Amino acid sequence: MSIVQIKDLVHRYFRKDDDGNVIETIEAIAGVNMEVEAGQFIAVLGHNGSGKSSLAKHINGLLQPAQGTVYVKGMRTDDESSIWDIRQNAGIVLQNPDNQIIGNIVEEDVAFGPENIGVPTEDIWRRVAESLEAVGMMAYRMSSPNHLSGGQKQRIAIAGILAMEPECIILDEPTAMLDPKGREDVIKTIHELNREKGITIILITHKMDEVIDADKVFVMDHGKVVMSGTPVEIFSQVETVKSYGLEVPHAASMAYELRKEGIPLPETIMTKEELVEALCQLN
Ligand SMILES: Nc1ncnc2c1ncn2[C@@H]1O[C@H](COP(=O)(O)OP(=O)(O)OP(=O)(O)O)[C@@H](O)[C@H]1O
Ligand SMILES: [Mg+2]
């Protein structure tokens, strides 16, 4: 069953002068079609300004289509009566954890979402505990978020979304502001949520190494989806990926350069381990 379905989506921003006259129209999304199956781990790639964040905001109804339709669990995002249901089912985690944390104590912060939608008190505390457990932050339950690292804050932000018990989580470059350790913890956490809780993940990222384990990758350019497929299907097309201003994962790039020199390496190499193994098997 598809949990997110995007049909012929167009989004336009208007730049206006002081008198309110439109001086520029920016077509940030220019006819996107996308289908995400429940339980999938999806990655969306694209260089700056390709429309990724705008797309993310459409999936939980923060933006409304100029044309086309977005469905979340069969509900249209342009149907006002469904909007709260949609926001509860498709939570969004943003780049900067500091903008998403509002509570003075970790558990208050995580409880904020469910409190807001009227979840009964006993249920809230169960949800808070389960969510903090799921992101490995239970030990910080009574801490002040101010004292946490970027990666820990981002895991608290994810717990806050989890406490809404969504079926789908959209993460818009959640590791952009984190150090390598924080990045690794956040990526590991979202893979666990996907595997163990069956939560659909839509990860928007610039970092190719975060994409390798996705079920499916969409590449965006100038508001359009220009490539889609498994990571191997995408990253074996090195020149095409580069033409959209993106890199392929490091090991895939090395294997590509070595192939150009005549060394027979498979196009499926994505990781350092796979590259080493393939090289060791050469005579
Ligand atoms: N609020 C806005 N008003 C006007 N134009 C906007 C607005 N938000 C985005 N845009 C423009 O729409 C286009 C798509 O922007 P968007 O933020 O969706 O891209 P992105 O792929 O997320 O970029 P980045 O990698 O920088 O995060 C860009 O040209 C951007 O300048
Ligand atoms: Mg963005």
Side-chain angles (χ1 to χ4, degrees):
M1 189 195 82
S2 66
I3 185 160
V4 174
Q5 202 179 9
I6 300 175
K7 281 195 173 162
D8 302 321
L9 179 66
V10 173
H11 186 84
R12 298 188 189 101
Y13 294 104
F14 300 104
R15 241 168 34 94
K16 294 179 181 170
D17 65 14
D18 294 342
D19 300 328
N21 302 312
V22 174
I23 48 171
E24 194 190 358
T25 304
I26 301 151
E27 198 158 86
I29 300 183
V32 162
N33 288 286
M34 195 179 272
E35 202 145 333
V36 177
E37 300 295 322
Q40 278 187 319
F41 191 113
I42 298 293
V44 179
L45 285 174
H47 67 78
N48 289 329
S50 56
K52 306 179 299 294
S53 296
S54 303
L55 187 75
K57 288 175 192 155
H58 273 279
I59 300 175
N60 85 338
L62 284 172
L63 291 178
Q64 287 293 316
Q67 287 170 34
T69 318
V70 178
Y71 300 89
V72 176
K73 278 183 72 184
M75 296 175 282
R76 294 171 64 118
T77 59
D78 60 1
D79 173 2
E80 262 180 51
S81 65
S82 299
I83 204 73
W84 290 108
D85 235 354
I86 288 172
R87 297 240 169 104
Q88 207 177 315
N89 274 293
I92 196 164
V93 175
L94 305 168
Q95 201 174 80
N96 187 344
D98 290 321
N99 296 343
Q100 304 172 76
I101 292 181
I102 35 187
N104 293 320
I105 299 174
V106 164
E107 66 171 14
E108 277 175 10
D109 185 82
V110 177
F112 184 80
E115 256 168 11
N116 229 7
I117 56 166
V119 174
T121 311
E122 5 17 298
D123 209 23
I124 290 179
W125 299 113
R126 173 192 58 82
R127 288 187 185 202
V128 168
E130 281 178 11
S131 305
L132 285 172
E133 198 65 59
V135 301
M137 288 297 287
M138 196 57 171
Y140 297 87
R141 183 174 183 156
M142 301 309 284
S143 305
S144 156
N146 297 330
H147 299 142
L148 302 178
S149 72
Q152 289 173 327
K153 282 186 197 166
Q154 203 55 302
R155 284 190 281 153
I156 297 300
I158 295 171
I161 297 293
L162 271 182
M164 304 289 281
E165 303 193 334
E167 294 186 27
C168 173
I169 302 182
I170 306 139
L171 302 105
D172 189 359
E173 306 205 39
T175 65
M177 309 189 70
L178 308 183
D179 62 18
K181 169 78 170 81
R183 214 182 294 163
E184 195 186 313
D185 287 344
V186 166
I187 294 299
K188 192 169 143 257
T189 300
I190 59 181
H191 273 290
E192 281 169 6
L193 295 177
N194 176 249
R195 263 197 318 268
E196 289 162 21
K197 294 188 180 284
I199 295 175
T200 308
I201 300 287
I202 301 178
L203 172 65
I204 293 170
T205 181
H206 266 114
K207 303 196 175 71
M208 303 306 142
D209 294 330
E210 296 179 356
V211 174
I212 294 171
D213 297 319
D215 296 313
K216 190 164 183 188
V217 183
F218 293 95
V219 177
M220 290 190 71
D221 185 59
H222 287 97
K224 291 194 160 71
V225 171
V226 288
M227 298 176 86
S228 66
T230 62
V232 167
E233 283 165 358
I234 301 291
F235 294 131
S236 54
Q237 302 179 61
V238 180
E239 291 305 328
T240 315
V241 169
K242 284 187 174 171
S243 74
Y244 296 121
L246 300 170
E247 287 299 321
V248 300
H250 199 58
S253 167
M254 295 241 299
Y256 173 72
E257 294 302 328
L258 290 167
R259 273 197 304 277
K260 279 208 294 198
E261 297 299 322
I263 300 173
L265 290 170
E267 288 186 352
T268 53
I269 292 174
M270 293 291 125
T271 65
K272 192 171 68 186
E273 291 73 24
E274 287 164 356
L275 177 61
V276 169
E277 196 184 321
L279 285 169
C280 289
Q281 281 173 5
L282 296 173
N283 303 322

